[in-house]
Amino acid sequence: MTKKETKFKNVNALDKVIGYISPSAGLRRARARSNFNQIRRYDGASKKKRLKNWRLQEMTMNQILDADAVTLKERARDLTRNNAYGKAALRVLTHSLVGPGFTPDFSNKIEIEDSFQTWAKKADQDGKLQFNGLMNLATKHLVRDGELIIRRYYKKSSLGLSVPLQIQVIDPDLLARDKNETKNNGSRIVHGIEYDSENKPEFYHFYKMHPSETISRETVRVPAKDIIHKYDLEYSGQGRGVSWFAPVIVKIFDFDGWEDGQLLKMKISSCFAGFLKSDNVSSLPGVDSEEDSEWDETLVPGTIKELPPGKDIDFTNPPQVEGLSEFNKRVLHAIATGLGITYHQLTQDLSDTNYSSLKAGTNQFKRDIKTWRTDLVIPALDEVSEWFLEAYELSTAKIPKELKRSWTPPRDEMIDPVKEIPATIKEVRAGLASWSATVRARGLDPRKLLEELKEDKKMFTKYGLILDCDPEKVSLSGNIQSNTEE
């Protein structure tokens, strides 16, 4: 193709006719088409000078994790150990996702639920935590390191457990990231996870000891059915998790250094000092002077003092520290946003909030927490409950086929109970929410609550008490019910 043909390769028959009749009109038409083609492109994909330093490389998520996941994890661990905001963010996310723990419901089968509660006290393979503590530990790994890993261990009935089962939270460092190979049978190992020919996890390869404690890289091969592995899946085909701190690691690190610098600047600004100058040679360091002995070098507030002849004094001009508050807020807002929490949760600063702004600010956070619970925490709990039911059936009794299980999350703390409780009551009375669902949303077990209410009512009757909490005896307005007076 000639240069001329290349130049006019997008010219159609009509353009050629117009160009033949009126070359100037044809040129204007060609220029308009060229400008239109430029307008139709995405600005974000342009090669403009201001974007030339935006380095990009087409890579799979697994390739990116292979290069960066360990560094991100180690930096996140350092921030959550040594930085106040990093530690606060980890605490907020962990306590919001799990906190006091989820309450299991096995179709109101009291004997199974009681057995689970008994097992939960000794569920830890390492013997350090109860079940809720294990889930909090696993969630810390999920947020900080990007992955939650739990392993199942079968136990002998002679150990005195309610069911022959214990679980262990595993440090993601132990999942052999450097173990990668392809086998002849079509299976492959990627970052320590062995996949079958259908790309489903079949085995997990764990180091027997932490890589930092030994030069050995000896591993143990654990069936996937004995492993729970959860992480925030951001891309299809992603095999390992990435720290939730990844988007804000640099910002927290830079802000920490900047904050230390400002603290030092404040310390310097508080050091108000004066320098005494003298024209007398004898007053140089190491030379005593009768004149010097009469000069009192201390200054008391409000003092007006006459200097001896030949003496002069200069005061330092310390650096001023201004405008920090607004800048700090902007940076901390960005850090909180990147972590998916609110500014006031990160800083405990409630100076600019009221009920409406606080509730509106936490609504998105609550939606995120519900999503993460649904996608990550509750599926992990479901798999643990499956392990428990398998062990229960082996050691105790047959599980009913119609048995269903669910998990009640910990209650959300109310911002203003005076406003929120009446609204909840109206929802239940209008049929927009069931009483049981409302009770579960407060982190309580409906069945146990009913039992407690029943016992309370018996005690009120036994001792002849009439309290406002008994609607059968007292109306909502506080009046004694007519049937009670009779």
Side-chain angles (χ1 to χ4, degrees), residues 94 102 105 137 151 161 233 253 258 271 285 287 298 314 351 390 404 420 443 476:
T94 301
F102 286 68
D105 178 9
L137 175 61
R151 182 179 177 182
L161 300 170
L233 189 63
F253 179 77
W258 180 87
C271 298
V287 181
T298 61
D314 281 345
S351 58
E390 287 180 17
K404 297 180 180 179
E420 295 182 48
L476 187 61

Short mmCIF file of all heavy atoms in Angstrom, two decimals, residues 94 102 105 137 151 161 233 253 258 271 285 287 298 314 351 390 404 420 443 476:
data_model
loop_
_atom_site.label_atom_id
_atom_site.label_comp_id
_atom_site.label_asym_id
_atom_site.label_seq_id
_atom_site.Cartn_x
_atom_site.Cartn_y
_atom_site.Cartn_z
N THR A 94 -12.32 -6.38 62.26
CA THR A 94 -12.45 -7.70 62.89
C THR A 94 -13.65 -7.75 63.82
O THR A 94 -14.47 -8.67 63.77
CB THR A 94 -11.17 -8.06 63.67
OG1 THR A 94 -10.06 -8.06 62.77
CG2 THR A 94 -11.29 -9.43 64.30
N PHE A 102 -21.03 -15.31 66.29
CA PHE A 102 -22.32 -15.67 65.72
C PHE A 102 -22.95 -16.78 66.57
O PHE A 102 -22.25 -17.63 67.12
CB PHE A 102 -22.15 -16.17 64.29
CG PHE A 102 -21.86 -15.09 63.29
CD1 PHE A 102 -20.65 -14.40 63.31
CD2 PHE A 102 -22.79 -14.76 62.32
CE1 PHE A 102 -20.38 -13.41 62.39
CE2 PHE A 102 -22.53 -13.77 61.39
CZ PHE A 102 -21.32 -13.10 61.44
N ASP A 105 -28.03 -21.78 64.92
CA ASP A 105 -29.41 -22.25 65.08
C ASP A 105 -29.56 -23.50 64.21
O ASP A 105 -29.52 -23.43 62.99
CB ASP A 105 -30.40 -21.17 64.65
CG ASP A 105 -31.85 -21.64 64.76
OD1 ASP A 105 -32.09 -22.73 65.33
OD2 ASP A 105 -32.76 -20.92 64.30
N LEU A 137 -9.63 -14.61 65.30
CA LEU A 137 -8.25 -14.77 64.83
C LEU A 137 -8.21 -15.00 63.33
O LEU A 137 -7.40 -14.39 62.61
CB LEU A 137 -7.58 -15.92 65.57
CG LEU A 137 -6.16 -16.29 65.11
CD1 LEU A 137 -5.21 -15.11 65.30
CD2 LEU A 137 -5.65 -17.51 65.88
N ARG A 151 -8.19 -25.50 59.39
CA ARG A 151 -7.98 -26.92 59.12
C ARG A 151 -8.76 -27.78 60.12
O ARG A 151 -8.88 -27.44 61.29
CB ARG A 151 -6.49 -27.27 59.21
CG ARG A 151 -6.20 -28.73 58.91
CD ARG A 151 -4.71 -29.04 58.97
NE ARG A 151 -4.46 -30.46 58.75
CZ ARG A 151 -3.25 -31.02 58.78
NH1 ARG A 151 -2.19 -30.29 59.01
NH2 ARG A 151 -3.13 -32.33 58.58
N LEU A 161 -14.18 -34.85 74.25
CA LEU A 161 -14.88 -33.81 73.49
C LEU A 161 -16.32 -34.23 73.25
O LEU A 161 -16.62 -35.42 73.16
CB LEU A 161 -14.17 -33.57 72.16
CG LEU A 161 -12.71 -33.11 72.22
CD1 LEU A 161 -12.09 -33.15 70.83
CD2 LEU A 161 -12.61 -31.72 72.81
N LEU A 233 -12.48 -12.35 46.69
CA LEU A 233 -12.20 -12.65 45.28
C LEU A 233 -12.47 -11.41 44.44
O LEU A 233 -13.61 -10.97 44.29
CB LEU A 233 -13.08 -13.82 44.81
CG LEU A 233 -12.78 -14.40 43.44
CD1 LEU A 233 -11.39 -15.00 43.40
CD2 LEU A 233 -13.82 -15.46 43.08
N PHE A 253 1.84 4.88 55.54
CA PHE A 253 3.27 4.99 55.80
C PHE A 253 3.75 6.43 55.68
O PHE A 253 4.47 6.94 56.55
CB PHE A 253 4.04 4.09 54.84
CG PHE A 253 5.53 4.14 55.00
CD1 PHE A 253 6.15 3.46 56.05
CD2 PHE A 253 6.33 4.86 54.12
CE1 PHE A 253 7.53 3.51 56.21
CE2 PHE A 253 7.70 4.92 54.27
CZ PHE A 253 8.31 4.23 55.32
N TRP A 258 5.05 11.82 58.09
CA TRP A 258 4.73 13.24 58.13
C TRP A 258 4.27 13.66 59.52
O TRP A 258 4.66 14.71 60.04
CB TRP A 258 3.63 13.54 57.10
CG TRP A 258 3.22 14.98 57.05
CD1 TRP A 258 3.79 15.97 56.30
CD2 TRP A 258 2.16 15.59 57.76
NE1 TRP A 258 3.15 17.16 56.50
CE2 TRP A 258 2.14 16.96 57.40
CE3 TRP A 258 1.21 15.14 58.67
CZ2 TRP A 258 1.21 17.86 57.91
CZ3 TRP A 258 0.28 16.03 59.19
CH2 TRP A 258 0.29 17.37 58.82
N CYS A 271 10.24 24.99 72.44
CA CYS A 271 11.52 25.30 73.09
C CYS A 271 11.86 26.77 72.86
O CYS A 271 12.65 27.12 71.97
CB CYS A 271 12.63 24.41 72.53
SG CYS A 271 12.36 22.65 72.84
N PRO A 285 33.30 31.59 77.23
CA PRO A 285 33.21 30.35 78.00
C PRO A 285 34.53 30.00 78.67
O PRO A 285 35.60 30.09 78.05
CB PRO A 285 32.82 29.30 76.95
CG PRO A 285 32.13 30.08 75.88
CD PRO A 285 32.82 31.41 75.85
N VAL A 287 35.88 31.63 81.16
CA VAL A 287 36.50 32.80 81.78
C VAL A 287 35.52 33.42 82.75
O VAL A 287 34.42 33.82 82.34
CB VAL A 287 36.93 33.83 80.71
CG1 VAL A 287 37.59 35.04 81.37
CG2 VAL A 287 37.86 33.19 79.70
N THR A 298 18.06 34.10 84.90
CA THR A 298 16.68 33.61 84.90
C THR A 298 15.72 34.74 84.56
O THR A 298 15.95 35.91 84.91
CB THR A 298 16.30 33.02 86.26
OG1 THR A 298 16.40 34.04 87.26
CG2 THR A 298 17.23 31.86 86.61
N ASP A 314 19.15 37.99 72.48
CA ASP A 314 18.32 37.66 71.33
C ASP A 314 17.46 36.45 71.68
O ASP A 314 17.94 35.51 72.34
CB ASP A 314 19.18 37.32 70.10
CG ASP A 314 19.70 38.58 69.44
OD1 ASP A 314 19.19 39.66 69.75
OD2 ASP A 314 20.65 38.44 68.63
N SER A 351 -16.22 15.00 66.72
CA SER A 351 -16.44 16.43 66.95
C SER A 351 -17.39 17.06 65.94
O SER A 351 -18.08 18.02 66.27
CB SER A 351 -15.09 17.16 66.92
OG SER A 351 -14.43 16.96 65.68
N GLU A 390 -21.11 -33.70 60.86
CA GLU A 390 -20.54 -35.00 60.49
C GLU A 390 -20.00 -35.72 61.71
O GLU A 390 -20.24 -36.92 61.91
CB GLU A 390 -19.42 -34.81 59.45
CG GLU A 390 -19.91 -34.44 58.06
CD GLU A 390 -18.76 -34.25 57.09
OE1 GLU A 390 -17.63 -34.72 57.41
OE2 GLU A 390 -18.95 -33.63 56.03
N LYS A 404 -32.02 -27.80 59.33
CA LYS A 404 -31.47 -26.61 58.69
C LYS A 404 -30.61 -25.87 59.70
O LYS A 404 -30.80 -25.98 60.90
CB LYS A 404 -32.60 -25.69 58.20
CG LYS A 404 -33.47 -26.32 57.12
CD LYS A 404 -34.56 -25.36 56.69
CE LYS A 404 -35.45 -25.97 55.62
NZ LYS A 404 -36.54 -25.05 55.20
N GLU A 420 -34.56 4.76 67.47
CA GLU A 420 -34.51 3.54 66.68
C GLU A 420 -35.46 2.46 67.19
O GLU A 420 -36.04 1.71 66.40
CB GLU A 420 -33.07 3.00 66.64
CG GLU A 420 -32.12 3.94 65.92
CD GLU A 420 -30.70 3.40 65.85
OE1 GLU A 420 -30.55 2.22 65.47
OE2 GLU A 420 -29.76 4.15 66.16
N GLY A 443 -28.78 -9.82 67.87
CA GLY A 443 -27.78 -10.75 68.36
C GLY A 443 -28.28 -11.73 69.39
O GLY A 443 -27.49 -12.31 70.14
N LEU A 476 -49.41 0.35 76.84
CA LEU A 476 -48.26 1.10 76.34
C LEU A 476 -48.19 2.49 76.96
O LEU A 476 -47.12 3.05 77.15
CB LEU A 476 -48.33 1.20 74.80
CG LEU A 476 -47.12 1.79 74.09
CD1 LEU A 476 -45.89 0.96 74.35
CD2 LEU A 476 -47.39 1.92 72.59
#
